[in-house]
Amino acid sequence: MPRTVITGGAGFIGSHLCDHFVAAGHEVVCIDNLLTGSRDNVAHLEGREGFRFVLHDVTTFIEVEGAVDNVLHFASPASPADFERLPIQILKVGALGTHNALGLAKAKGARFLLASTSEVYGDPEVNPQPESYLGRVNPIGIRGVYDESKRFAEAMTMAYRRVHGVDTRIVRIFNTYGERMQLDDGRALPNFITQALRGDPITVYGDGRQTRSFGYVSDLIRGIDLLLSSDVWEPVNIGNPVEVSLLQVANEVKEATGSRSEIVFRPLPPGDPKVRRPDITRARDLLGWSPTVDRAQGFERTIADFRRRLRAETGAGDSA
Ligand code: UDP
């Protein structure tokens, strides 16, 4: 039975990874300090054979007894709202947390997989972004704390590979959504869905013509699994290449929820990338991966989850 450590395992993506690897028969050690993760996300796994939750901040030494086969490093706040709320924690988990997670992989002779991000490309001048694009990041901008911490984490991962021979993988994750995103996460989709279901104004930043490419979480998890079991050490983009404007997304959420909310425009945060779309040639060619869930399906599932949690939270219905 492979033993897999998942840092940030109680977060949005981390908890889906825990589900996936428990189902695949791994013994999973989920480590999280619950800064942005939630015990609710893994409550259904607790007490199950092969799953253990450890409350720990990975910016300090990570102690795991026994053999470890895989270390998946997913701990980090990741919402742009967190870039302002938690900038120092983000830098620490990207730097110190990555160092500790790599140290654990080295000590155990485990394979290491880093959760990196499309943010390493910054506000890109090429669209779509291939892995070979070196990016355009402002180190002193508000987003710099996340972008630079992930760029540092990639560099540290490569250094451990080159110096210590750790067997490493790097996934560059593009905008991903799905069940268990925090209701108050602050990213576009959680905001739009929560606002639409509450009947509050749907807040589009800027003129809404900026684009993103939204991938559903199950497609991401499948891509990560394929990458982990491949021998591809180069960074691999995983994301849905269908690009869409934020104004269109707001309209689709309004439609899918049946909401009467109005769409309102708010100032665009500084440094907000104008376009973002993954070039997934590498994932296709090397992993045989491509996304299978489109926005209509993914939005429906995500909205159902938000509706259920909002009802549980307020003890009441929603306006839509
Ligand atoms: N955005 C928006 N309304 C919101 C939250 C975000 O229009 O309530 C915009 C944001 O300015 C960005 C896009 O949606 O252009 C995606 O933002 P998100 O926070 O989801 O993540 P990002 O892709 O910027 O890291």
Side-chain angles (χ1 to χ4, degrees):
M1 189 191 252
R3 194 142 179 267
T4 299
V5 170
I6 304 176
T7 77
F12 161 50
I13 294 171
S15 65
H16 285 280
L17 285 172
C18 289
D19 281 345
H20 176 83
F21 286 107
V22 167
H26 291 216
E27 196 180 320
V28 169
V29 181
C30 163
I31 305 181
D32 205 298
N33 69 346
L34 303 180
L35 179 62
T36 54
S38 163
R39 200 105 185 218
D40 290 347
N41 289 339
V42 290
H44 59 288
L45 293 172
E46 292 200 49
R48 267 184 66 170
E49 201 189 331
F51 179 83
R52 190 156 68 92
F53 175 80
V54 178
L55 183 65
H56 179 71
D57 177 350
V58 297
T59 66
T60 64
F61 188 87
I62 307 169
E63 189 151 350
V64 177
E65 280 180 16
V68 175
D69 301 287
N70 306 294
V71 176
L72 312 185
H73 183 41
F74 279 72
S76 180
S79 166
D82 298 328
F83 304 168
E84 293 184 70
R85 287 193 292 233
L86 304 165
I88 296 170
Q89 290 91 332
I90 288 171
L91 284 160
K92 285 179 72 178
V93 77
L96 308 176
T98 303
H99 186 213
N100 290 328
L102 279 161
L104 174 68
K106 174 180 165 241
K108 303 288 186 181
R111 186 167 288 183
F112 178 85
L113 186 144
L114 173 69
S116 186
T117 169
S118 54
E119 279 291 316
V120 300
Y121 303 124
D123 188 3
E125 297 134 309
V126 300
N127 197 38
Q129 296 82 50
E131 290 86 351
S132 55
Y133 178 57
L134 300 182
R136 190 167 75 113
V137 168
N138 173 10
I140 62 164
I142 285 171
R143 302 178 83 96
V145 294
Y146 186 66
D147 303 9
E148 298 295 7
S149 90
K150 290 294 188 182
R151 290 173 68 96
F152 175 92
E154 287 198 12
M156 187 62 124
T157 300
M158 290 308 297
Y160 263 64
R161 176 177 190 86
R162 293 183 182 121
V163 176
H164 295 306
V166 174
D167 187 18
T168 58
R169 307 283 180 273
I170 297 173
V171 56
R172 290 189 180 150
I173 301 171
F174 282 66
N175 293 66
T176 302
Y177 69 93
E179 293 90 331
R180 302 190 191 141
M181 290 186 101
Q182 293 180 89
L183 299 172
D184 62 352
D185 171 278
R187 275 177 279 203
L189 270 176
N191 275 5
F192 292 173
I193 296 173
T194 305
Q195 290 161 344
L197 291 177
R198 287 187 171 139
D200 294 339
I202 298 175
T203 56
V204 169
Y205 299 162
D207 60 12
R209 280 190 297 181
Q210 73 274 27
T211 66
R212 295 292 186 272
S213 308
F214 291 95
Y216 183 64
V217 64
S218 65
D219 280 328
L220 170 68
I221 301 300
R222 189 166 43 81
I224 291 168
D225 189 24
L226 287 168
L227 177 62
L228 183 69
S229 49
S230 77
D231 56 6
V232 181
W233 58 267
E234 291 172 296
V236 179
N237 290 338
I238 298 285
N240 192 314
V242 179
E243 189 176 3
V244 63
S245 77
L246 266 295
L247 184 56
Q248 185 175 333
V249 169
N251 276 306
E252 287 177 4
V253 169
K254 185 173 158 156
E255 174 91 25
T257 51
S259 172
R260 284 186 300 273
S261 292
E262 57 167 339
I263 292 177
V264 298
F265 294 89
R266 295 282 177 263
L268 192 67
D272 200 277
K274 285 174 277 305
V275 293
R276 190 186 281 157
R277 176 180 160 201
D279 180 330
I280 59 164
T281 309
R282 191 176 281 178
R284 272 211 178 98
D285 290 353
L286 300 185
L287 307 178
W289 178 89
S290 60
T292 60
V293 181
D294 66 18
R295 281 204 309 280
Q297 284 174 290
F299 282 12
E300 197 179 309
R301 294 181 204 168
T302 309
I303 288 164
D305 170 64
F306 272 61
R307 211 185 275 276
R308 187 182 51 71
R309 284 188 291 148
L310 279 168
R311 283 207 176 112
E313 196 174 72
T314 58
D318 54 61
S319 79

